[in-house]
Amino acid sequence: MKKKTVLELGILTFACMQVLCGCEKQQDSPLMTVQVGVACYNQSDTFLSELLASFKEQLSGMETQELSATVMQKDAAGSQRTQDDQVRELLDAGCNVLCVNLADRTNPSEIIELAREREVPIIFFNREPVAEDLMQWSDLYYVGADAQQSGVMQGELAADAILANSQIDRNHDGKIQYVVLEGETGHQDAIIRTEKAVDTLKDKGIGLEKLSYAIANWNRAQAQNRMTQMIGQYRNDIELVLANNDDMALGAVDAYEKLNYTESTLPVFFGIDGTREGLRAVADGRLAGTVYNDKEGQAGAMARLAVALVCGEGMQELSFEKERCIYLPYAKVTADNIEEYQH
Ligand code: BGC
Ligand code: CA
């Protein structure tokens, strides 16, 4: 057989590569770059750091020969002013889609205006802007979860536990003495989760006595402090701790551990999120249950939406509510189904 020339070999190799890569496009097909600017209200928030890790992983999993994706992330450390400046920097750096976790969910106007001037779409996530703000421009989206559902599920988990175990009512007065640890005031998940969890317990016929509540801003250390104060005041009277998230539920557990409380005088604790630590605590019985806040689902929806907005393809595969919102369902987690969630 005649030896192939260098040129022929080159053509053959190129043809094979085309087949191997399944590239249908022409050699000169342009490389599409999705440059995501992520603005986070506070990077030390446990739930959000886990959500954003999953977002980056799923986004890079969507890269192909024709599509590259980059992420530039900023931390507002709780300040909306800082976040407004950071969004300007992200736009100046060439981001063509923004994922914004508002510092102040009632104050997105500046960010919307900046993005609108440059025609860069915004995907808000986790901290839900009010409906009128989302209507300010047609390129605004929201990815999150239904706060009400998480509250109802936490109430159901607590009711099931109380009905199944008469020892939770430790003083046997027919009522459950409880305290609530709340997230930031003004956050959709703090207000609604508390309200719905308590309403659900009442609907299930559970007698309740609210001893106290404390705002601990989603934070484990703050929750430990506030819980220590409440234990100082109510001693062994607290039978149930409802926390708006796992970090605060864990902070409450920390407070009791630090004071060397023994199991027979501990209340039952419920969280929301199913963070890595939260799930571990459900597995070893420190938390009686949690409600899974589907960070992988939310991160996946954000990644697909970001790509679709930049590339102009794939919007039909996403299911929107209220036109431009995507809500991922919550799920109840107890020791009985924990294996489905721990990976
Ligand atoms: C989560 C919290 C988190 C908060 C931040 C909530 O949905 O449950 O853990 O701190 O969002 O915005
Ligand atoms: Ca009681």
Side-chain angles (χ1 to χ4, degrees):
M1 197 172 76
K2 168 173 128 358
K3 278 203 177 150
K4 294 211 171 10
T5 65
V6 175
L7 182 68
E8 279 171 329
L9 267 177
I11 293 168
L12 196 66
T13 317
F14 179 73
C16 290
M17 273 170 61
Q18 291 271 47
V19 172
L20 278 175
C21 305
C23 311
E24 281 149 27
K25 296 219 171 139
Q26 295 299 304
Q27 182 193 5
D28 61 353
S29 74
L31 187 71
M32 190 79 91
T33 308
V34 181
Q35 282 181 270
V36 190
V38 175
C40 184
Y41 95 103
N42 183 351
Q43 245 161 239
S44 60
D45 183 290
T46 309
F47 174 74
L48 283 164
S49 60
E50 292 182 9
L51 184 152
L52 287 173
S54 171
F55 172 71
K56 284 170 206 160
E57 195 183 307
Q58 295 191 60
L59 185 70
S60 72
M62 291 173 75
E63 286 184 302
T64 62
Q65 287 214 319
E66 287 94 28
L67 182 85
S68 83
T70 63
V71 175
M72 198 183 270
Q73 189 173 322
K74 301 273 181 189
D75 177 10
S79 156
Q80 191 54 58
R81 269 265 186 91
T82 306
Q83 190 168 65
D84 294 348
D85 292 342
Q86 290 176 336
V87 164
R88 194 174 289 115
E89 287 167 32
L90 290 169
L91 291 166
D92 286 344
C95 291
N96 51 13
V97 56
L98 294 172
C99 289
V100 177
N101 176 236
L102 288 163
D104 176 357
R105 63 184 273 266
T106 63
N107 200 4
S109 297
E110 175 92 15
I111 288 177
I112 294 174
E113 207 174 296
L114 288 168
R116 192 177 184 162
E117 273 166 19
R118 323 236 186 147
E119 293 183 33
V120 171
I122 306 180
I123 304 166
F124 292 104
F125 65 101
N126 167 263
R127 300 162 74 88
E128 188 167 5
V130 294
E132 300 87 83
D133 283 332
L134 262 195
M135 289 300 129
Q136 282 193 40
W137 180 39
S138 59
D139 258 341
L140 305 177
Y141 296 84
Y142 177 69
V143 176
D146 173 18
Q148 183 159 325
Q149 187 186 35
S150 57
V152 169
M153 286 185 172
Q154 190 184 53
E156 287 171 352
L157 283 173
D160 289 349
I162 292 161
L163 294 170
N165 178 4
S166 61
Q167 293 310 309
I168 292 177
D169 179 12
R170 274 201 320 269
N171 64 354
H172 303 290
D173 67 347
K175 284 183 286 186
I176 300 298
Q177 281 69 28
Y178 75 100
V179 301
V180 184
L181 284 164
E182 296 191 356
E184 293 158 275
T185 37
H187 192 300
Q188 81 277 349
D189 290 338
I191 314 161
I192 300 175
R193 283 177 182 168
T194 303
E195 204 178 278
K196 287 293 151 189
V198 172
D199 286 353
T200 304
L201 277 159
K202 286 183 185 153
D203 290 349
K204 296 260 176 189
I206 311 287
L208 291 175
E209 183 186 349
K210 182 173 186 169
L211 295 179
S212 189
Y213 77 98
I215 294 165
N217 299 309
W218 309 117
N219 180 280
R220 183 165 178 165
Q222 284 186 39
Q224 179 180 346
N225 269 329
R226 305 309 308 271
M227 194 69 226
T228 306
Q229 287 165 2
M230 293 194 283
I231 299 169
Q233 196 171 352
Y234 298 101
R235 306 274 155 199
N236 290 347
D237 293 350
I238 305 166
E239 295 170 339
L240 165 69
V241 177
L242 296 173
N244 285 169
N245 77 346
D246 283 356
D247 259 12
M248 295 191 293
L250 291 164
V253 173
D254 294 340
Y256 280 94
E257 272 174 10
K258 194 95 181 273
L259 295 168
N260 290 322
Y261 267 67
T262 55
E263 207 159 318
S264 61
T265 46
L266 281 182
V268 282
F269 304 87
F270 291 90
I272 293 178
D273 275 345
T275 57
R276 208 171 301 118
E277 280 286 309
L279 292 176
R280 195 177 307 154
V282 172
D284 67 24
R286 278 174 299 147
L287 297 187
T290 189
V291 178
Y292 200 74
N293 192 356
D294 185 3
K295 53 187 176 295
E296 292 79 16
Q298 292 164 38
M302 287 161 61
R304 285 196 298 280
L305 181 53
V307 170
L309 287 168
V310 175
C311 302
E313 273 171 35
M315 288 298 270
Q316 347 42 262
E317 280 123 56
L318 295 159
S319 48
F320 293 99
E321 289 175 46
K322 296 187 271 175
E323 284 176 54
R324 285 186 261 122
C325 300
I326 300 176
Y327 296 99
L328 276 291
Y330 283 99
K332 292 186 257 187
V333 186
T334 63
D336 295 338
N337 66 347
I338 185 79
E339 305 83 46
E340 293 169 34
Y341 292 89
Q342 273 191 316
H343 306 293

